[in-house]
Amino acid sequence: MDKKISKAQIRSAVEEAYAECKDITGGHNADYIPFLANINPNLFGLSVTLLDGTTVNVGDTEYKFGIESVSKVLTAILVLRQYGAEAVLKQIGADATGLPFNSIFAILLEKDHPSTPLVNAGAITACSMVEPKGDSWGKWEAIINNFTALCGSPAQVIDELYKSESDTNFNNRSIAWLLKTYNRIYDDVPMSLDLYTRQCSVGITASQLSICAATIANKGLNPVTKEQVFDAVLAPKITTLISTVGFYQTTGDWLYTSGIPAKSGVGGGVLGVLPGVMGISAFAPPLDEAGNSVKAQAAIKAVMKKLELGVFNGDRVTIID
Ligand code: GLN
């Protein structure tokens, strides 16, 4: 079915969703990373970017929060750019684990590959793959420049968060060394883990994340800067990864109830991609049991419902002025 939605409808849907979800309670800030425990739990932002570059931002959309696991999407794109879809499938994988993001059990179960670049194991492997190999600074430049291109503006590490994560990432150290025993770390192990920790500690805004989401929805063409950041053939690959594991063990429930592939991070951010239509992001620190922001989930679901959109709805959507 052809479906036309006006920009005014989108603006109202975002504003209403924000107002309806603003006072939702429940959930807790992540506290296994001490820095995150102290972020104001009332912060809340909701942002949509359309494929012509139009943006709708409501609430705390310029607050810089820890990107955390949403960074996995951006670096998965980088290794897809550097190696192509086939090599990423071979060297990392594209399967949902059905288990928490930091699961060691998942690695033991699938020791032939780290499952997907969107859980901790696969993301550490992805950092190990980033070119130029063996050059920590060069690799970091590649990672952060890719962030800038996808988000349309620069982002920096929050030093305090980086220190907090580095001091407490014992589980991730186990993951990295376990992967090494399966020959799934393709560079120096401590360097690969450090790059992963650093990318998780980048401060990002909801408005930057929605531009990144829109770049994916727009087949790699950043709708704000007009830069073709990655080859269009990679867009369905990255959206597949997001669809299958973006919310870890609750991904199926999420996709079933929201209708939009999305990726969360324990900093409270969520990035959602509706291919050919828009990018959306929301940010609010309190998380549910699986580590996904309670308010961000509610807000994105509300926007989708109000606009009657869904990736599997079978509609041809046109946005009109
Ligand atoms: N840096 C966090 C970790 O490695 C990211 C986890 C997340 O956002 N789900 O545990």
Side-chain angles (χ1 to χ4, degrees):
M1 201 182 90
D2 281 323
K3 184 172 166 65
K4 291 192 170 43
I5 307 180
S6 71
K7 289 184 183 170
Q9 273 176 295
I10 292 173
R11 174 166 293 283
S12 310
V14 173
E15 284 168 358
E16 284 168 23
Y18 179 86
E20 285 166 18
C21 298
K22 198 171 173 320
D23 299 318
I24 288 178
T25 52
H28 299 282
N29 285 26
D31 56 7
Y32 75 100
I33 299 170
F35 178 89
L36 297 177
N38 298 320
I39 304 293
N40 176 357
N42 297 320
L43 288 162
F44 179 35
L46 181 58
S47 172
V48 164
T49 301
L50 302 179
L51 305 194
D52 68 352
T54 305
T55 55
V56 182
N57 290 319
V58 190
D60 301 311
T61 52
E62 295 309 316
Y63 180 86
K64 289 186 172 54
F65 57 93
I67 187 169
E68 297 299 343
S69 276
V70 183
S71 67
K72 292 165 176 156
V73 172
L74 286 71
T75 298
I77 292 173
L78 178 60
V79 293
L80 283 166
R81 290 172 67 181
Q82 292 186 337
Y83 290 81
E86 206 41 52
V88 168
L89 182 65
K90 270 216 190 87
Q91 298 195 48
I92 304 179
D95 257 338
T97 62
L99 289 165
F101 57 83
N102 54 3
S103 176
I104 286 179
F105 194 46
I107 307 168
L108 295 170
L109 283 173
E110 293 206 50
K111 60 177 187 280
D112 56 330
H113 58 67
S115 300
T116 162
L118 301 195
V119 297
N120 291 19
I124 296 168
T125 297
C127 286
S128 79
M129 286 173 70
V130 169
E131 300 278 7
K133 292 263 187 76
D135 170 3
S136 168
W137 182 244
K139 284 168 83 109
W140 177 249
E141 281 222 304
I143 290 171
I144 203 72
N145 288 344
N146 178 60
F147 275 40
T148 302
L150 288 165
C151 298
S153 54
Q156 279 97 28
V157 168
I158 302 172
D159 290 331
E160 231 185 303
L161 174 56
Y162 173 53
K163 184 172 177 352
S164 185
E165 293 215 25
S166 301
D167 288 348
T168 55
N169 64 352
F170 309 114
N171 190 82
N172 288 339
R173 290 181 216 177
S174 313
I175 288 176
W177 286 108
L178 182 59
L179 287 171
K180 175 72 177 172
T181 66
Y182 296 129
N183 296 319
R184 291 295 172 185
I185 295 288
Y186 305 105
D187 204 343
D188 180 73
V189 176
M191 184 206 288
S192 305
L193 175 63
D194 179 61
L195 288 165
Y196 167 75
T197 310
R198 226 189 295 175
Q199 75 171 19
C200 286
S201 308
V202 165
I204 206 83
T205 67
S207 75
Q208 285 177 306
L209 277 191
S210 89
I211 292 171
C212 175
T215 303
I216 301 168
N218 200 28
K219 299 185 179 179
L221 176 71
N222 185 316
V224 174
T225 64
K226 311 293 180 206
E227 181 189 348
Q228 185 73 43
V229 183
F230 60 86
D231 196 315
V233 298
L234 299 175
K237 303 300 180 203
I238 193 68
T239 312
T240 300
L241 295 172
I242 296 172
S243 307
T244 48
V245 78
F247 278 61
Y248 320 111
Q249 68 272 41
T250 59
T251 304
D253 288 349
W254 164 260
L255 199 53
Y256 191 93
T257 53
S258 68
I260 182 168
K263 178 77 200 81
S264 72
V266 293
V270 175
L271 160 156
V273 179
L274 200 59
V277 182
M278 67 179 187
I280 185 166
S281 81
F283 155 65
L287 310 176
D288 66 14
E289 291 286 303
N292 305 316
S293 168
V294 172
K295 237 188 246 186
Q297 290 182 74
I300 293 175
K301 276 187 194 173
V303 171
M304 296 297 290
K305 192 159 179 218
K306 283 174 195 300
L307 296 173
E308 294 177 359
L309 287 171
V311 72
F312 299 120
N313 289 8
D315 294 327
R316 214 178 353 255
V317 179
T318 316
I319 311 283
I320 51 175
D321 276 324

